[in-house]
Amino acid sequence: MDKQTRTLTRFLVEEQMKHPGATGAFTELFADITLAAKIVSREVNKAGLAEILGVTGDINIHGEEVKKLDEFANEIFKHVLLKSGIVAAIASEEEDEVVISPPGRYIVVYDPLDGSSNIDVNVSIGTIFGIYRNNSGENVSIKDFLRSGRELVAAGYLIYGSSTMLVYTTGNGVHGFTLDPSIGEFILSHYDIKIPEEGKIYSINEAYESRWGNKMKGYIRNLKENGKTLRYIGSLVADFHRNLLKGGIFLYPADKKNPHGKLRLLYEAIPLAFIVEQAGGYASDGKGNILDRIPERIHEKTPLFIGSRKEVEKLENFLRNG
Ligand code: AHG
Ligand code: MN
Ligand code: MN
């Protein structure tokens, strides 16, 4: 019976009770995030029926086409978070600048819809978020976003896939909850997720091989010679989630076209780095730990290598020594 009734709310309240000073604001913030996620999940699930597929006609700050669902997810998360009185400011992939609206004890960074190219073809997509404490009160500004991932209070992602899941950490292990749409509740389905130390899977867009440096080419050749297998969905959240459960490495290196990589440091790489580290894995930009990076701009890009600890360390050695 307990298996079916261990809701996210109950889990959060139990966690909250372990911290005597807790005000409940964090639990409320999670209720807001899951509300927004349920609305996005509902729209994703009926996307083929509604007028929500396709593009808005706008190009975002990264020079990419904005899909209607990108825009919708961004607006829902922004609205729910900033109206709560708990979140003082947000930074989103789909907002050129940070949006500030104090008061609030927290600030939130997010990629509202990750894997945009998969929206129209019924392939898994997701939302990534990170939560920091607002240390500046009413004076919150862009500076409050340019900090190390080690300061994260929590990070998580939603995956809108064959089921909708929330996976998050507050620094006390990584837990996964599956949405039961019939009752509208996230139920604990994956307690204390640990990523295998090594894994067979590698995930990279190999079509870009001609743009890579020789060390990167040599590394991938070596993986093939060692019996690894390739899985690449093209939605970071979905590729990350599979590798978290099964073991392996996700790679989006710098290349001739994208000298700083494609993925964004603040609201893609850093939250997932915190999650993977909590699960016993590791995230690197090729030189060192993603969690040691301090973003200089909210939309800064980074190469990203993330997954099983030994696999990512092997990659770092390869890039160092060839
Ligand atoms: P977004 O949809 O938020 O812009 O992110 C897309 C990202 C990421 O999800 C995925 O891993 C990557 O783009 C795929 O890029 P390629 O098509 O270059 O492989
Ligand atoms: Mn993304
Ligand atoms: Mn996105």
Side-chain angles (χ1 to χ4, degrees), residues 70 93-94 111-116 264 268:
D70 275 326
E93 183 194 3
E94 302 301 339
D111 175 357
L113 249 224
D114 174 67
S116 302
R264 295 69 163 199
E268 291 183 315

Side-chain angles (χ1 to χ4, degrees), residues 43-85:
E43 293 303 310
V44 167
N45 276 295
K46 61 174 192 190
L49 301 172
E51 291 289 308
I52 202 150
L53 292 183
V55 297
T56 61
D58 295 331
I59 301 289
N60 71 11
I61 189 156
H62 315 285
E64 300 156 348
E65 275 187 331
V66 177
K67 301 277 197 303
K68 289 183 195 163
L69 262 176
D70 275 326
E71 183 64 32
F72 178 81
N74 182 50
E75 290 299 326
I76 285 285
F77 274 95
K78 185 170 69 173
H79 182 85
V80 168
L81 293 173
L82 293 180
K83 288 276 182 241
S84 66

Side-chain angles (χ1 to χ4, degrees), residues 104 113 126 132 144 180 207 214 219 221 229:
L113 249 224
Y132 295 90
D144 293 281
D180 179 340
N214 285 337
Y219 169 79
R221 210 179 309 124
T229 188

Side-chain angles (χ1 to χ4, degrees), residues 47-271:
L49 301 172
E51 291 289 308
I52 202 150
L53 292 183
V55 297
T56 61
D58 295 331
I59 301 289
N60 71 11
I61 189 156
H62 315 285
E64 300 156 348
E65 275 187 331
V66 177
K67 301 277 197 303
K68 289 183 195 163
L69 262 176
D70 275 326
E71 183 64 32
F72 178 81
N74 182 50
E75 290 299 326
I76 285 285
F77 274 95
K78 185 170 69 173
H79 182 85
V80 168
L81 293 173
L82 293 180
K83 288 276 182 241
S84 66
I86 298 166
V87 176
I90 55 121
S92 160
E93 183 194 3
E94 302 301 339
E95 299 284 340
D96 296 0
E97 314 280 347
V98 300
V99 185
I100 293 179
S101 173
R105 298 163 67 95
Y106 297 103
I107 63 173
V108 177
V109 299
Y110 62 88
D111 175 357
L113 249 224
D114 174 67
S116 302
S117 67
N118 285 323
I119 294 174
D120 289 2
V121 291
N122 208 351
V123 174
S124 297
I125 49 184
T127 300
I128 307 171
F129 62 89
I131 302 169
Y132 295 90
R133 217 171 289 289
N134 172 16
N135 295 329
S136 304
E138 297 281 320
N139 299 322
V140 60
S141 72
I142 184 168
K143 286 199 197 97
D144 293 281
F145 289 88
L146 307 179
R147 59 213 270 192
S148 149
R150 299 198 189 279
E151 288 188 49
L152 277 167
V153 175
Y157 59 86
L158 279 303
I159 176 163
Y160 313 108
S162 47
S163 52
T164 293
M165 272 191 79
L166 165 72
V167 175
Y168 82 94
T169 182
T170 55
N172 267 320
V174 180
H175 310 296
F177 297 78
T178 302
L179 179 65
D180 179 340
S182 65
I183 55 170
E185 293 275 5
F186 282 95
I187 308 287
L188 182 65
S189 52
H190 298 65
Y191 180 73
D192 200 16
I193 299 170
K194 292 290 174 214
I195 185 168
E197 272 210 323
E198 296 169 279
K200 248 176 97 78
I201 297 172
Y202 72 102
S203 311
I204 189 169
N205 192 334
E206 272 204 82
Y208 304 151
E209 182 179 359
S210 62
R211 302 185 201 156
W212 304 338
N214 285 337
K215 288 179 176 172
M216 194 64 219
K217 287 181 185 164
Y219 169 79
I220 296 291
R221 210 179 309 124
N222 181 271
L223 289 186
K224 290 178 181 169
E225 286 162 7
N226 283 290
K228 302 284 184 181
T229 188
L230 172 69
R231 292 282 182 274
Y232 191 71
I233 295 170
S235 294
L236 170 62
V237 165
D239 280 307
F240 175 82
H241 182 70
R242 181 202 50 240
N243 293 2
L244 181 70
L245 298 181
K246 295 196 163 180
I249 182 169
F250 173 93
L251 313 97
Y252 209 114
D255 62 30
K256 278 188 205 145
K257 186 176 163 211
N258 298 300
H260 304 290
K262 176 186 181 191
L263 299 173
R264 295 69 163 199
L265 182 58
L266 184 62
Y267 42 79
E268 291 183 315
I270 287 178

